[in-house]
Amino acid sequence: MLKVCIAGNYPAGTVEAFRAALPEEKFEIITAEAQEEFTAVTDADAVVLRVLKMPAPADFARFTNLKMVMRWGVGYDNVDIQEAGRLGVSVCNTPGANAYAVAELAVGLMINAGRNIMGYYHHVKAGDWDRSAFPVNLSLNHKTVGLLGGGNIGRQVARRVQAFGATVRYYDTFRLKPEMEEQFHMTYVDLETLLNTSDVVSVHVPLLDSTRHIIGADQLAMMKKGALLINTARGGLVDDAALLAALESGQVGAAGLDCVEDEQSEVTKALCSRENVVVTPHIGGTASDLGSAMIPMIVRNLKALEAGEPLSFVVNQQYLA
């Protein structure tokens, strides 16, 4: 029997859906909602992980028979994939399953920040109906949206902003095939050109050592004055202190952030206090209806693990012993 730990806080009905999909004679399901509770788990064969973290060797050493960590989502920067691989533990994710939800939020933040919806909302609540309270009031129609990253989420964003009349450019270290660029009407440019020519820059790359602060002071200075910056990917991709300075100087017109470097920092507090910044608590990939896409992908891997069959979406293949 395979013991599966569902670790983290999930939308209502998720655990019940797993129990319904996994035969009880082959799978034992336990849950751990908080990090402290999860840290006490030592005997799971597989872990389904959301929000909680396994960033250190000790997070794997405590297990006696762990074979797979299955991420609820595409990111895996909260898991030590190298140590997992050294111990023979496969780390898998669910690519594309939540792309639509993150893309919808990214476009929502573009509209919210670009039109200063929250700023005007707070002004109206205070009795101020001045329509010209904010100097930046941009629509997406006839604008250039620059996507930093051409993966599943970036391509979903491209389709959505084009429906509003925007054109799309993108930069990625891995350029798309020409037929895919044509399919999604995305024009490839280098990073400097992307920053120089985009009215909106939206970040959609993973957080790696090579991408940390990929948007820093130098890159912010390259952006069109008054352009919008959107980050629905990971905190740390943007140098938040440099972003705050760019917002204060007017170099960046507004920002929509679903993630920050340090939620408790003074920089984050200053960003949250600005009327031209919209901040959400990393909710892009947490829509309550994501289970319909996520659960079947995870169940397939759990059944494959139990049957001794190859796993899908293994992200640490190069480290596996």
Side-chain angles (χ1 to χ4, degrees), residues 33-57:
E33 292 191 9
Q35 189 72 45
E36 296 78 10
E37 187 181 1
F38 177 48
T39 301
V41 176
T42 61
D43 58 346
D45 300 293
V47 170
V48 179
L49 191 68
R50 178 178 184 262
V51 179
L52 304 186
K53 301 178 179 181
M54 300 180 70

Side-chain angles (χ1 to χ4, degrees), residues 4 74 90 98 107 135 158 179 182 187 203 219 262 288 291-292 294 300 312 315 317 321:
V4 181
V74 67
S90 297
N98 66 350
V107 177
E179 56 268 27
E182 183 177 357
T187 301
V203 182
Q219 290 73 31
D262 181 354
S288 60
S292 60
M294 293 277 199
R300 281 196 296 273
S312 301
V315 298
Q317 191 70 52

Side-chain angles (χ1 to χ4, degrees), residues 147-156 170-176 180 184 186 204-205:
L147 303 176
L148 181 48
N152 284 318
I153 295 171
R155 295 194 297 271
Q156 294 267 9
Y170 83 102
Y171 168 76
D172 201 309
T173 53
F174 299 99
R175 184 172 177 176
L176 299 174
M180 186 166 286
F184 288 91
M186 296 166 63
H204 303 287
V205 294

Side-chain angles (χ1 to χ4, degrees), residues 19-285:
R19 288 200 168 109
L22 297 168
E24 61 181 10
E25 66 272 14
K26 293 184 178 181
F27 296 89
E28 177 188 356
I29 295 178
I30 62 172
T31 61
E33 292 191 9
Q35 189 72 45
E36 296 78 10
E37 187 181 1
F38 177 48
T39 301
V41 176
T42 61
D43 58 346
D45 300 293
V47 170
V48 179
L49 191 68
R50 178 178 184 262
V51 179
L52 304 186
K53 301 178 179 181
M54 300 180 70
D59 294 308
F60 292 90
R62 75 174 190 264
F63 286 95
T64 57
N65 199 37
L66 186 63
K67 302 178 183 70
M68 180 180 73
V69 173
M70 188 81 211
R71 280 283 295 113
W72 177 280
V74 67
Y76 49 88
D77 52 284
N78 61 345
V79 179
D80 187 338
I81 61 172
Q82 187 169 353
E83 178 65 12
R86 190 184 71 81
L87 296 174
V89 178
S90 297
V91 179
C92 309
N93 64 354
T94 53
N98 66 350
Y100 75 91
V102 180
E104 287 178 4
L105 182 66
V107 177
L109 288 173
M110 292 177 196
I111 296 170
N112 201 327
R115 300 298 301 274
N116 285 288
I117 292 174
M118 291 304 299
Y120 279 113
Y121 167 71
H122 289 301
H123 277 218
V124 169
K125 283 190 71 174
D128 180 1
W129 291 80
D130 181 5
R131 299 181 187 179
S132 58
F134 298 95
V136 177
N137 193 351
L138 299 177
S139 67
L140 287 173
N141 190 35
H142 302 307
K143 300 302 188 299
T144 297
V145 173
L147 303 176
L148 181 48
N152 284 318
I153 295 171
R155 295 194 297 271
Q156 294 267 9
V157 172
R159 280 185 163 167
R160 284 157 174 76
V161 298
Q162 287 162 15
F164 287 93
T167 57
V168 175
R169 295 180 172 185
Y170 83 102
Y171 168 76
D172 201 309
T173 53
F174 299 99
R175 184 172 177 176
L176 299 174
K177 294 180 179 179
E179 56 268 27
M180 186 166 286
E181 290 181 347
E182 183 177 357
Q183 177 186 351
F184 288 91
H185 305 288
M186 296 166 63
T187 301
Y188 180 84
V189 294
D190 60 59
L191 180 56
E192 184 173 351
T193 301
L194 183 90
L195 297 171
N196 286 337
T197 60
S198 297
D199 302 292
V200 181
V201 175
S202 193
V203 182
H204 303 287
V205 294
L207 179 62
L208 307 169
D209 289 341
S210 59
T211 59
R212 184 172 294 279
H213 287 186
I214 192 170
I215 299 294
D218 291 344
Q219 290 73 31
L220 292 164
M222 293 179 192
M223 289 174 60
K224 292 175 68 173
K225 187 174 179 64
L228 310 183
L229 180 68
I230 307 297
N231 183 12
T232 55
R234 285 291 187 273
L237 294 169
V238 176
D239 182 338
D240 286 351
L243 173 60
L244 178 61
L247 287 160
E248 290 173 342
S249 71
Q251 171 61 21
V252 174
L257 309 173
D258 189 39
C259 42
V260 293
E261 289 192 85
D262 181 354
E263 294 175 359
Q264 306 305 318
S265 73
E266 292 302 315
V267 170
T268 297
K269 292 178 183 176
L271 287 169
C272 291
S273 70
R274 297 190 61 84
E275 290 187 310
N276 61 343
V277 177
V278 181
V279 182
T280 50
H282 207 40
I283 60 171

